[in-house]
Short mmCIF file of all heavy atoms in Angstrom, two decimals:
data_model
loop_
_atom_site.label_atom_id
_atom_site.label_comp_id
_atom_site.label_asym_id
_atom_site.label_seq_id
_atom_site.Cartn_x
_atom_site.Cartn_y
_atom_site.Cartn_z
N ARG Q 1 -173.95 49.62 64.79
CA ARG Q 1 -173.13 50.60 64.12
C ARG Q 1 -171.96 51.07 65.14
O ARG Q 1 -172.14 51.02 66.31
CB ARG Q 1 -174.00 51.89 63.82
CG ARG Q 1 -174.57 52.63 64.92
CD ARG Q 1 -175.55 53.67 64.51
NE ARG Q 1 -176.05 54.48 65.57
CZ ARG Q 1 -177.07 55.48 65.45
NH1 ARG Q 1 -177.55 55.69 64.17
NH2 ARG Q 1 -177.47 56.07 66.41
N GLN Q 2 -170.96 51.70 64.48
CA GLN Q 2 -169.82 52.08 65.22
C GLN Q 2 -169.33 53.30 64.63
O GLN Q 2 -168.89 53.41 63.54
CB GLN Q 2 -168.73 51.03 65.31
CG GLN Q 2 -167.55 51.39 66.23
CD GLN Q 2 -166.60 50.12 66.46
OE1 GLN Q 2 -166.68 49.20 65.66
NE2 GLN Q 2 -165.86 50.24 67.56
N ALA Q 3 -169.39 54.40 65.43
CA ALA Q 3 -168.86 55.76 65.12
C ALA Q 3 -167.38 55.88 65.53
O ALA Q 3 -166.92 55.10 66.44
CB ALA Q 3 -169.68 56.84 65.76
N PRO Q 4 -166.62 56.72 64.89
CA PRO Q 4 -165.24 56.85 65.28
C PRO Q 4 -165.00 57.16 66.77
O PRO Q 4 -165.73 58.06 67.34
CB PRO Q 4 -164.73 58.01 64.47
CG PRO Q 4 -165.61 58.02 63.29
CD PRO Q 4 -167.00 57.57 63.71
N GLY Q 5 -164.19 56.35 67.41
CA GLY Q 5 -163.97 56.70 68.83
C GLY Q 5 -164.96 56.14 69.76
O GLY Q 5 -164.82 56.35 70.98
N LYS Q 6 -165.97 55.44 69.26
CA LYS Q 6 -167.04 54.93 70.12
C LYS Q 6 -167.18 53.46 69.94
O LYS Q 6 -166.65 52.76 69.04
CB LYS Q 6 -168.40 55.61 69.64
CG LYS Q 6 -168.40 57.08 70.00
CD LYS Q 6 -169.81 57.72 69.70
CE LYS Q 6 -169.88 59.11 70.11
NZ LYS Q 6 -171.27 59.70 69.88
N GLU Q 7 -167.88 52.81 70.96
CA GLU Q 7 -168.09 51.36 70.87
C GLU Q 7 -169.23 51.03 69.86
O GLU Q 7 -170.08 51.88 69.64
CB GLU Q 7 -168.49 50.82 72.30
CG GLU Q 7 -167.30 50.94 73.25
CD GLU Q 7 -167.66 50.12 74.47
OE1 GLU Q 7 -168.77 49.70 74.65
OE2 GLU Q 7 -166.90 50.01 75.36
N ARG Q 8 -169.12 49.86 69.41
CA ARG Q 8 -170.26 49.33 68.53
C ARG Q 8 -171.56 49.27 69.33
O ARG Q 8 -171.62 48.79 70.45
CB ARG Q 8 -169.81 48.02 67.95
CG ARG Q 8 -170.74 47.59 66.79
CD ARG Q 8 -170.27 46.35 66.18
NE ARG Q 8 -168.88 46.51 65.53
CZ ARG Q 8 -168.20 45.63 64.81
NH1 ARG Q 8 -168.89 44.47 64.58
NH2 ARG Q 8 -166.98 45.88 64.38
N GLU Q 9 -172.56 49.89 68.76
CA GLU Q 9 -173.86 49.91 69.50
C GLU Q 9 -174.91 49.33 68.65
O GLU Q 9 -175.01 49.27 67.48
CB GLU Q 9 -174.21 51.39 69.82
CG GLU Q 9 -174.48 52.26 68.63
CD GLU Q 9 -174.93 53.72 68.95
OE1 GLU Q 9 -175.00 54.00 70.15
OE2 GLU Q 9 -175.31 54.52 68.07
N PHE Q 10 -175.97 48.88 69.41
CA PHE Q 10 -177.18 48.31 68.79
C PHE Q 10 -178.01 49.29 68.08
O PHE Q 10 -178.16 50.36 68.49
CB PHE Q 10 -178.02 47.57 69.96
CG PHE Q 10 -179.35 47.20 69.53
CD1 PHE Q 10 -179.54 46.02 68.71
CD2 PHE Q 10 -180.34 47.89 69.76
CE1 PHE Q 10 -180.79 45.55 68.33
CE2 PHE Q 10 -181.79 47.52 69.40
CZ PHE Q 10 -181.84 46.34 68.67
N VAL Q 11 -178.54 48.84 66.90
CA VAL Q 11 -179.49 49.75 66.12
C VAL Q 11 -180.87 49.13 66.07
O VAL Q 11 -181.86 49.66 66.35
CB VAL Q 11 -178.93 50.00 64.72
CG1 VAL Q 11 -179.88 50.77 63.89
CG2 VAL Q 11 -177.52 50.66 64.85
N ALA Q 12 -180.90 47.80 65.50
CA ALA Q 12 -182.18 47.22 65.29
C ALA Q 12 -181.94 45.63 65.14
O ALA Q 12 -180.95 45.27 64.81
CB ALA Q 12 -182.81 47.75 63.99
N ALA Q 13 -183.03 45.02 65.49
CA ALA Q 13 -182.96 43.51 65.38
C ALA Q 13 -184.31 42.90 65.29
O ALA Q 13 -185.34 43.54 65.57
CB ALA Q 13 -182.30 42.94 66.58
N PHE Q 14 -184.33 41.64 64.82
CA PHE Q 14 -185.57 40.83 64.95
C PHE Q 14 -185.09 39.35 65.26
O PHE Q 14 -184.04 38.87 64.86
CB PHE Q 14 -186.45 40.85 63.71
CG PHE Q 14 -185.81 40.51 62.39
CD1 PHE Q 14 -185.46 39.24 62.10
CD2 PHE Q 14 -185.75 41.47 61.49
CE1 PHE Q 14 -184.99 38.85 60.79
CE2 PHE Q 14 -185.19 41.13 60.16
CZ PHE Q 14 -184.81 39.89 59.92
N GLY Q 15 -185.96 38.62 65.89
CA GLY Q 15 -185.79 37.25 66.30
C GLY Q 15 -185.98 36.50 64.99
O GLY Q 15 -186.49 36.91 63.95
N TRP Q 16 -185.69 35.09 65.05
CA TRP Q 16 -185.69 34.35 63.72
C TRP Q 16 -186.93 34.22 63.13
O TRP Q 16 -187.04 34.17 61.86
CB TRP Q 16 -185.02 33.07 63.96
CG TRP Q 16 -185.85 31.93 64.71
CD1 TRP Q 16 -185.91 31.65 65.87
CD2 TRP Q 16 -186.82 31.08 63.96
NE1 TRP Q 16 -186.85 30.62 66.16
CE2 TRP Q 16 -187.42 30.22 65.00
CE3 TRP Q 16 -187.19 30.91 62.66
CZ2 TRP Q 16 -188.36 29.24 64.67
CZ3 TRP Q 16 -188.05 29.96 62.31
CH2 TRP Q 16 -188.69 29.19 63.31
N THR Q 17 -188.02 34.32 63.89
CA THR Q 17 -189.44 34.31 63.26
C THR Q 17 -189.82 35.54 62.51
O THR Q 17 -190.68 35.66 61.73
CB THR Q 17 -190.52 34.01 64.27
OG1 THR Q 17 -190.58 34.98 65.25
CG2 THR Q 17 -190.21 32.68 64.97
N GLY Q 18 -189.09 36.65 62.84
CA GLY Q 18 -189.39 37.81 62.24
C GLY Q 18 -190.53 38.67 62.93
O GLY Q 18 -190.88 39.74 62.54
N ILE Q 19 -191.08 38.11 63.91
CA ILE Q 19 -192.17 38.72 64.64
C ILE Q 19 -191.71 39.72 65.65
O ILE Q 19 -192.33 40.93 65.65
CB ILE Q 19 -193.01 37.69 65.32
CG1 ILE Q 19 -193.72 36.66 64.34
CG2 ILE Q 19 -194.20 38.23 66.16
CD1 ILE Q 19 -194.37 35.46 64.88
N ASN Q 20 -190.84 39.42 66.40
CA ASN Q 20 -190.33 40.24 67.40
C ASN Q 20 -189.23 41.18 66.90
O ASN Q 20 -188.26 40.72 66.33
CB ASN Q 20 -189.73 39.51 68.73
CG ASN Q 20 -190.85 38.84 69.37
OD1 ASN Q 20 -192.01 39.25 69.55
ND2 ASN Q 20 -190.54 37.58 69.70
N THR Q 21 -189.47 42.49 66.97
CA THR Q 21 -188.38 43.43 66.59
C THR Q 21 -188.11 44.35 67.78
O THR Q 21 -188.75 44.52 68.76
CB THR Q 21 -188.87 44.37 65.40
OG1 THR Q 21 -190.11 44.98 65.81
CG2 THR Q 21 -189.21 43.44 64.23
N SER Q 22 -186.89 44.94 67.62
CA SER Q 22 -186.45 45.94 68.62
C SER Q 22 -185.64 47.03 68.04
O SER Q 22 -184.82 46.66 66.99
CB SER Q 22 -185.53 45.11 69.74
OG SER Q 22 -185.13 46.03 70.78
N TYR Q 23 -185.67 48.27 68.58
CA TYR Q 23 -184.95 49.34 68.01
C TYR Q 23 -184.28 50.04 69.17
O TYR Q 23 -184.85 50.28 70.27
CB TYR Q 23 -185.78 50.28 67.22
CG TYR Q 23 -186.37 49.66 65.92
CD1 TYR Q 23 -187.63 49.00 65.93
CD2 TYR Q 23 -185.68 49.72 64.71
CE1 TYR Q 23 -188.19 48.37 64.73
CE2 TYR Q 23 -186.30 49.13 63.57
CZ TYR Q 23 -187.50 48.48 63.64
OH TYR Q 23 -187.99 47.96 62.49
N ALA Q 24 -183.15 50.64 68.80
CA ALA Q 24 -182.52 51.72 69.74
C ALA Q 24 -183.43 52.84 69.88
O ALA Q 24 -184.08 53.22 68.83
CB ALA Q 24 -181.17 52.03 69.27
N ASP Q 25 -183.46 53.46 71.07
CA ASP Q 25 -184.35 54.65 71.13
C ASP Q 25 -183.95 55.73 70.23
O ASP Q 25 -184.75 56.49 69.78
CB ASP Q 25 -184.13 55.11 72.63
CG ASP Q 25 -184.89 54.21 73.61
OD1 ASP Q 25 -185.71 53.32 73.24
OD2 ASP Q 25 -184.60 54.36 74.88
N SER Q 26 -182.72 55.88 69.89
CA SER Q 26 -182.16 56.88 69.07
C SER Q 26 -182.69 56.75 67.59
O SER Q 26 -182.68 57.80 66.84
CB SER Q 26 -180.68 56.92 69.05
OG SER Q 26 -180.16 55.71 68.67
N VAL Q 27 -183.13 55.61 67.20
CA VAL Q 27 -183.47 55.38 65.80
C VAL Q 27 -185.03 54.95 65.70
O VAL Q 27 -185.52 54.96 64.56
CB VAL Q 27 -182.59 54.37 65.10
CG1 VAL Q 27 -181.15 54.74 65.26
CG2 VAL Q 27 -182.99 52.92 65.61
N LYS Q 28 -185.59 54.81 66.81
CA LYS Q 28 -187.02 54.29 66.76
C LYS Q 28 -187.91 55.37 66.02
O LYS Q 28 -187.78 56.59 66.28
CB LYS Q 28 -187.56 54.20 68.19
CG LYS Q 28 -188.88 53.25 68.35
CD LYS Q 28 -189.05 53.02 69.85
CE LYS Q 28 -188.12 52.17 70.41
NZ LYS Q 28 -188.39 51.82 71.85
N GLY Q 29 -188.75 54.84 65.12
CA GLY Q 29 -189.68 55.74 64.33
C GLY Q 29 -188.87 56.27 62.99
O GLY Q 29 -189.61 56.90 62.24
N ARG Q 30 -187.65 55.97 62.95
CA ARG Q 30 -186.92 56.53 61.77
C ARG Q 30 -186.38 55.39 60.95
O ARG Q 30 -186.20 55.49 59.72
CB ARG Q 30 -185.77 57.47 62.18
CG ARG Q 30 -186.20 58.72 62.87
CD ARG Q 30 -185.06 59.71 62.99
NE ARG Q 30 -184.07 59.19 63.93
CZ ARG Q 30 -182.71 59.01 63.48
NH1 ARG Q 30 -182.36 59.52 62.20
NH2 ARG Q 30 -181.76 58.53 64.25
N PHE Q 31 -185.95 54.39 61.61
CA PHE Q 31 -185.25 53.20 60.95
C PHE Q 31 -186.29 51.86 61.07
O PHE Q 31 -187.09 51.72 61.97
CB PHE Q 31 -184.01 52.81 61.74
CG PHE Q 31 -182.91 53.66 61.61
CD1 PHE Q 31 -183.03 54.96 61.00
CD2 PHE Q 31 -181.56 53.25 62.00
CE1 PHE Q 31 -182.02 55.88 60.87
CE2 PHE Q 31 -180.53 54.16 61.83
CZ PHE Q 31 -180.75 55.55 61.27
N THR Q 32 -186.20 51.11 59.98
CA THR Q 32 -186.95 49.93 59.93
C THR Q 32 -186.09 48.74 59.42
O THR Q 32 -185.48 48.77 58.50
CB THR Q 32 -188.12 50.12 58.95
OG1 THR Q 32 -188.96 51.22 59.41
CG2 THR Q 32 -189.05 48.84 59.03
N ILE Q 33 -186.14 47.68 60.21
CA ILE Q 33 -185.49 46.49 59.78
C ILE Q 33 -186.45 45.51 59.13
O ILE Q 33 -187.60 45.39 59.63
CB ILE Q 33 -184.72 45.79 60.96
CG1 ILE Q 33 -183.85 44.58 60.53
CG2 ILE Q 33 -185.81 45.26 62.11
CD1 ILE Q 33 -183.12 43.92 61.62
N SER Q 34 -186.09 44.86 58.06
CA SER Q 34 -186.90 43.94 57.33
C SER Q 34 -186.15 42.85 56.71
O SER Q 34 -184.98 42.88 56.59
CB SER Q 34 -187.82 44.68 56.34
OG SER Q 34 -186.98 45.30 55.38
N ARG Q 35 -186.81 41.86 56.11
CA ARG Q 35 -186.06 40.91 55.37
C ARG Q 35 -186.87 40.33 54.19
O ARG Q 35 -188.06 40.44 54.16
CB ARG Q 35 -185.75 39.62 56.35
CG ARG Q 35 -186.95 38.84 56.72
CD ARG Q 35 -186.59 37.69 57.79
NE ARG Q 35 -187.63 36.93 58.23
CZ ARG Q 35 -187.72 36.04 59.13
NH1 ARG Q 35 -186.58 35.78 59.76
NH2 ARG Q 35 -188.75 35.44 59.44
N ASP Q 36 -186.08 39.95 53.21
CA ASP Q 36 -186.78 39.34 52.02
C ASP Q 36 -186.18 37.94 51.86
O ASP Q 36 -185.02 37.71 51.46
CB ASP Q 36 -186.44 40.07 50.75
CG ASP Q 36 -187.17 39.71 49.58
OD1 ASP Q 36 -187.36 38.51 49.45
OD2 ASP Q 36 -187.35 40.47 48.57
N SER Q 37 -186.96 36.86 52.28
CA SER Q 37 -186.40 35.50 52.28
C SER Q 37 -186.11 35.11 50.79
O SER Q 37 -185.18 34.35 50.66
CB SER Q 37 -187.41 34.67 52.86
OG SER Q 37 -187.63 34.94 54.27
N ALA Q 38 -186.85 35.48 49.81
CA ALA Q 38 -186.74 35.11 48.42
C ALA Q 38 -185.23 35.61 47.95
O ALA Q 38 -184.52 34.93 47.23
CB ALA Q 38 -187.64 35.66 47.61
N LYS Q 39 -184.86 36.73 48.45
CA LYS Q 39 -183.48 37.24 48.09
C LYS Q 39 -182.41 36.97 49.10
O LYS Q 39 -181.29 37.34 48.97
CB LYS Q 39 -183.63 38.80 47.89
CG LYS Q 39 -184.49 39.22 46.72
CD LYS Q 39 -184.44 40.70 46.49
CE LYS Q 39 -185.30 41.10 45.29
NZ LYS Q 39 -185.51 42.65 45.22
N ASN Q 40 -182.84 36.31 50.21
CA ASN Q 40 -181.95 36.05 51.25
C ASN Q 40 -181.21 37.28 51.80
O ASN Q 40 -180.02 37.20 52.03
CB ASN Q 40 -180.97 34.92 51.00
CG ASN Q 40 -180.66 34.05 52.16
OD1 ASN Q 40 -181.63 33.84 53.01
ND2 ASN Q 40 -179.47 33.51 52.21
N THR Q 41 -181.98 38.29 51.97
CA THR Q 41 -181.34 39.63 52.29
C THR Q 41 -182.17 40.29 53.40
O THR Q 41 -183.41 40.21 53.50
CB THR Q 41 -181.30 40.63 51.06
OG1 THR Q 41 -180.53 39.90 49.99
CG2 THR Q 41 -180.85 41.92 51.43
N VAL Q 42 -181.34 40.94 54.28
CA VAL Q 42 -182.05 41.72 55.29
C VAL Q 42 -181.74 43.21 55.05
O VAL Q 42 -180.63 43.52 54.57
CB VAL Q 42 -181.40 41.39 56.67
CG1 VAL Q 42 -181.96 42.31 57.79
CG2 VAL Q 42 -181.82 39.89 57.00
N TYR Q 43 -182.64 44.07 55.32
CA TYR Q 43 -182.55 45.56 54.93
C TYR Q 43 -182.71 46.29 56.27
O TYR Q 43 -183.32 45.96 57.26
CB TYR Q 43 -183.64 45.95 54.09
CG TYR Q 43 -183.71 45.22 52.77
CD1 TYR Q 43 -184.54 44.06 52.56
CD2 TYR Q 43 -182.87 45.51 51.70
CE1 TYR Q 43 -184.54 43.45 51.36
CE2 TYR Q 43 -182.79 44.74 50.62
CZ TYR Q 43 -183.68 43.75 50.36
OH TYR Q 43 -183.73 43.07 49.23
N LEU Q 44 -182.06 47.59 56.25
CA LEU Q 44 -182.26 48.56 57.20
C LEU Q 44 -182.63 49.87 56.41
O LEU Q 44 -181.75 50.43 55.81
CB LEU Q 44 -181.03 48.78 58.11
CG LEU Q 44 -181.22 49.82 59.22
CD1 LEU Q 44 -182.16 49.23 60.28
CD2 LEU Q 44 -179.82 50.14 59.87
N GLN Q 45 -183.90 50.21 56.52
CA GLN Q 45 -184.39 51.44 55.86
C GLN Q 45 -184.15 52.57 56.88
O GLN Q 45 -184.67 52.52 58.05
CB GLN Q 45 -185.77 51.38 55.47
CG GLN Q 45 -186.42 52.60 54.93
CD GLN Q 45 -185.83 52.96 53.50
OE1 GLN Q 45 -185.61 52.06 52.65
NE2 GLN Q 45 -185.37 54.22 53.39
N MET Q 46 -183.32 53.63 56.49
CA MET Q 46 -183.02 54.65 57.47
C MET Q 46 -183.57 55.88 56.89
O MET Q 46 -183.13 56.41 55.77
CB MET Q 46 -181.61 54.76 57.63
CG MET Q 46 -180.96 53.43 58.12
SD MET Q 46 -179.19 53.67 58.57
CE MET Q 46 -178.44 54.09 57.01
N ASN Q 47 -184.55 56.63 57.57
CA ASN Q 47 -185.14 57.78 57.12
C ASN Q 47 -184.80 58.92 58.10
O ASN Q 47 -184.38 58.68 59.27
CB ASN Q 47 -186.63 57.73 57.06
CG ASN Q 47 -187.13 56.61 56.09
OD1 ASN Q 47 -186.43 56.37 55.05
ND2 ASN Q 47 -188.22 55.92 56.31
#
């Protein structure tokens, strides 16, 4: 993500197997990254 006047920063990711995930401290516990291979889509659920 990139806010006005700031550098682009990491939010969330997973490796290609989908097993390993990582989250920025600022979003941990609130955001979830996931994927649906059937729809060929990746999601970011933000609560």
Side-chain angles (χ1 to χ4, degrees):
R1 67 186 182 186
Q2 188 167 17
K6 295 187 177 182
E7 289 192 358
R8 193 171 299 187
E9 66 176 4
F10 169 77
V11 175
F14 55 69
W16 77 266
T17 63
I19 296 174
N20 297 317
T21 59
S22 181
Y23 294 91
D25 288 345
S26 59
V27 308
K28 197 173 295 182
R30 299 189 298 123
F31 291 10
T32 303
I33 187 172
S34 63
R35 68 184 179 189
D36 184 333
S37 297
K39 295 183 178 179
N40 216 33
T41 299
V42 173
Y43 301 99
L44 184 68
Q45 178 68 44
M46 305 190 294
N47 300 327

